[in-house]
Amino acid sequence: MKMNRLGRTDILVSEICLGTMTWGSQNTHEEAYQQMDYALDHGVNFFDTAELYPTTPLSAETYADTERLMGDWFEKSGKRDQVVLATKVAGPGRPYIREGKPITGAVVRQALDASLTRLKTDYVDLYQIHWPNRGHFHFRGAWNYNPYKQDKTRASADIAEILDALGDCVKAGKLRAVGLSNETTWGTQKYLTLAEAKGLPRVATIQNEYNLLYRHYDLDLAELSHHEDVGLLAYSPLAGGILSGKYLDGKKPAGSRGSINGDIGGRLVPHQEAATRAYVELAAKHEIDPSAMALAFCLTRPFMASVIIGATTMEQLKTNIDAAELTLSDEVMQEIAKIHRLYPMPI
């Protein structure tokens, strides 16, 4: 398992990261424990969670259950020191999380302390802003994105206040590095500029969606990653499982994410079918598992710090982790490029 550095920190993480958003809903405690043990035994030292999780479905009743589950595992297993642990503070909009209010410095401190309690640890290695107060274009928001409604003064002030609080948390020893999620190039650069000017923690990572069906990060964010050493933590590298091919021809297997929340965050739409079929057929032509091919492609990207996998079965988990050992041929990469040219943004 290849190890990558998070930004300009001294934190080394596996190029495969274990995602946790199904634990406590689609996965039981015992299944989650089995996944964590297996991942560690196979070179995965990086686990990502959030106070928001589990997500399938999101609810006030299950809020923060994934962190509680992980805290129980850390306590019982004694393996906290073997894990690079990442979690996130939720942004505004959900009434059952701090009445849906925006992130402030006080919220950062409060939410981090609550996460530490649930996770039964004294610190997290990477603390991430799950989404910005001002809104963003992720999760299919690109089709009607309008940044001109944003308050310029408020947007900058929010980032400054959040960064100050993160700096206090680093000084207190409660976190080692900071990251963003569902962010834009401007937002990320604003954090970097303020950090440099004020001697505050530097953003190490951005956790944004990236997969064969959604490659926005290849553009200006890739340039930012190159010049500023900010790595991508790719979520939904299988587009919510779509790239496995299991949803082709209208299928929705029992227990799958598509059977639970319908369109998988707006991804399971008719427009993706042709692109997905092309990638699945390409994988079959070269006798590669389509999920493994999709993950292996993500691992070829120079800006990739780690690819966040999610699995509801051990079979899926093993396939996902084994993708780290798969090298795609030049022919496969060229054919992927041709398909992308035909279907540049199918979701």
Side-chain angles (χ1 to χ4, degrees), residues 300-332:
T300 68
R301 312 313 287 159
F303 46 71
M304 197 66 65
S306 194
V307 174
I308 303 172
I309 60 171
T312 54
T313 70
M314 287 304 297
E315 181 181 2
Q316 291 172 348
L317 182 68
K318 292 172 183 178
T319 296
N320 292 350
I321 292 176
D322 288 348
E325 304 301 319
L326 175 62
T327 299
L328 300 179
S329 68
D330 290 343
E331 181 182 358
V332 171

Side-chain angles (χ1 to χ4, degrees), residues 268-288:
L268 195 56
V269 293
H271 199 57
Q272 59 75 31
E273 184 96 0
T276 299
R277 191 179 303 279
Y279 287 120
V280 170
E281 289 177 351
L282 172 61
K285 174 183 174 182
H286 291 273
E287 299 182 337
I288 305 171

Side-chain angles (χ1 to χ4, degrees), residues 18-24 47-50 53-54 66 70 308-310:
L18 183 61
T20 66
M21 71 178 188
T22 62
W23 299 354
F47 296 179
D48 176 74
T49 192
Y53 297 167
T66 302
M70 295 178 73
I308 303 172
I309 60 171

Side-chain angles (χ1 to χ4, degrees), residues 248-269:
L248 286 173
D249 301 315
K251 296 174 184 174
K252 287 191 178 182
S256 68
R257 190 172 170 192
S259 70
I260 294 171
N261 67 7
D263 65 0
I264 313 180
R267 300 179 184 91
L268 195 56
V269 293

Side-chain angles (χ1 to χ4, degrees), residues 198-261:
K198 301 175 70 174
L200 290 168
R202 199 173 193 281
V203 169
T205 58
I206 313 173
Q207 185 174 149
N208 282 3
E209 181 175 0
Y210 188 84
N211 55 62
L212 286 170
L213 301 178
Y214 186 80
R215 292 176 52 179
H216 175 271
Y217 205 96
D218 285 336
L219 304 174
D220 50 335
L221 280 165
E223 182 182 33
L224 182 142
S225 281
H226 171 64
H227 289 285
E228 300 294 340
D229 301 314
V230 176
L232 172 64
L233 306 180
Y235 72 73
S236 295
L238 299 181
I242 292 172
L243 286 163
S244 71
K246 64 186 175 183
Y247 298 114
L248 286 173
D249 301 315
K251 296 174 184 174
K252 287 191 178 182
S256 68
R257 190 172 170 192
S259 70
I260 294 171
N261 67 7

Side-chain angles (χ1 to χ4, degrees), residues 4-242:
N4 293 325
R5 190 176 303 279
L6 292 186
R8 296 179 184 173
T9 74
D10 60 357
I11 302 173
L12 295 176
V13 300
S14 50
E15 64 177 343
I16 296 289
C17 173
L18 183 61
T20 66
M21 71 178 188
T22 62
W23 299 354
S25 56
Q26 285 180 272
N27 287 107
T28 65
H29 281 55
E30 291 72 23
E31 289 168 343
Y33 294 170
Q34 187 179 9
Q35 286 194 29
M36 286 186 275
D37 286 328
Y38 183 90
L40 271 181
D41 289 344
H42 289 79
V44 175
N45 76 335
F46 191 22
F47 296 179
D48 176 74
T49 192
E51 66 168 329
L52 183 70
Y53 297 167
T55 63
T56 47
L58 289 166
S59 72
E61 290 71 31
T62 61
Y63 164 65
D65 279 355
T66 302
E67 286 190 332
R68 295 186 186 93
L69 180 159
M70 295 178 73
D72 290 344
W73 181 81
F74 286 136
E75 184 176 59
K76 292 174 182 176
S77 70
K79 295 179 180 179
R80 170 66 185 94
D81 62 345
Q82 299 178 39
V83 174
V84 177
L85 176 62
T87 192
K88 313 177 194 74
V89 53
R94 298 198 175 275
Y96 61 87
I97 304 177
R98 295 177 289 275
E99 300 179 335
K101 295 177 180 177
I103 301 175
T104 63
V107 163
V108 167
R109 298 178 183 90
Q110 172 193 350
L112 176 58
D113 284 344
S115 287
L116 293 175
T117 298
R118 290 187 291 262
L119 290 162
K120 298 182 180 179
T121 185
D122 295 329
Y123 70 99
V124 294
D125 298 282
L126 178 68
Y127 197 53
Q128 302 157 102
I129 307 302
H130 209 153
W131 62 90
N133 289 339
R134 66 187 189 279
H136 55 82
F137 55 76
H138 302 281
F139 282 96
R140 323 286 74 84
W143 305 112
N144 55 9
Y145 181 57
N146 183 4
Y148 293 95
K149 294 181 180 180
Q150 296 174 10
D151 183 315
K152 294 181 183 180
T153 302
R154 182 71 263 163
S156 295
D158 282 351
I159 291 173
E161 182 177 346
I162 290 167
L163 192 56
D164 279 336
L166 290 169
D168 290 343
C169 294
V170 170
K171 290 178 182 176
K174 296 179 180 180
L175 62 92
R176 297 174 65 196
V178 302
L180 305 173
S181 182
N182 298 303
E183 246 314 347
T184 66
T185 306
W186 176 83
T188 306
Q189 187 59 60
K190 191 68 174 179
Y191 272 96
L192 291 167
T193 300
L194 287 172
E196 183 173 350
K198 301 175 70 174
L200 290 168
R202 199 173 193 281
V203 169
T205 58
I206 313 173
Q207 185 174 149
N208 282 3
E209 181 175 0
Y210 188 84
N211 55 62
L212 286 170
L213 301 178
Y214 186 80
R215 292 176 52 179
H216 175 271
Y217 205 96
D218 285 336
L219 304 174
D220 50 335
L221 280 165
E223 182 182 33
L224 182 142
S225 281
H226 171 64
H227 289 285
E228 300 294 340
D229 301 314
V230 176
L232 172 64
L233 306 180
Y235 72 73
S236 295
L238 299 181
I242 292 172

